[in-house]
């Protein structure tokens, strides 16, 4: 994504992917960082840790998949940091 849209996405206080590389499955929703209760990394059926769950305060759970374990760990780390900043 270009820097302007990435900054606008982060500044809005929501987690969203500006330009997904593949077609998303399911309805597109905005998830405020402050509504994320916890983030759980889990193994995919193949055994690699490329999936994570966002458990929200409203009781909804959203599942996301990454291409690699490293990408998943990096994204989850960034989301945890943004959640911490949003809840200050």
């Amino acid at each position: 994504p270009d820097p302007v849209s990435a900054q606008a996405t982060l500044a809005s206080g929501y987690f969203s992917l500006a330009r997904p590389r593949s077609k998303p499955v399911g309805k597109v929703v905005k998830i405020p960082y402050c509504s994320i209760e916890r983030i759980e990394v889990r193994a995919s059926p193949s055994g690699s840790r490329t999936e994570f769950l966002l458990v929200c305060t409203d009781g909804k759970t959203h599942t996301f998949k990454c291409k690699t374990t490293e990408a998943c760990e990096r994204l989850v780390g960034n989301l945890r940091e943004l959640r911490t900043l949003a809840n200050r």
Side-chain angles (χ1 to χ4, degrees):
D2 63 56
V4 175
S5 65
Q7 289 173 355
T9 301
L10 294 177
S12 67
Y14 291 99
F15 171 61
S16 65
L17 298 175
R19 293 187 184 127
R21 297 182 193 278
S22 61
K23 186 175 179 182
V25 177
K27 184 179 176 186
V28 176
V29 296
K30 286 187 176 183
I31 304 169
Y33 297 121
C34 59
S35 74
I36 299 172
E37 188 174 301
R38 69 181 187 278
I39 303 170
E40 299 175 9
V41 177
R42 66 181 195 178
S44 65
S46 67
S48 62
R49 297 177 56 85
T50 57
E51 296 183 5
F52 66 94
L53 300 173
L54 293 183
V55 180
C56 298
T57 54
D58 61 3
K60 294 182 182 177
T61 302
H62 305 275
T63 304
F64 296 88
K65 296 181 181 183
C66 299
K67 289 188 177 194
T68 65
T69 300
E70 294 79 20
C72 185
E73 290 172 356
R74 194 169 43 247
L75 184 55
V76 167
N78 290 342
L79 286 171
R80 286 182 174 145
E81 186 176 340
L82 288 167
R83 183 188 69 174
T84 301
L85 292 172
N87 289 325
R88 283 188 179 180

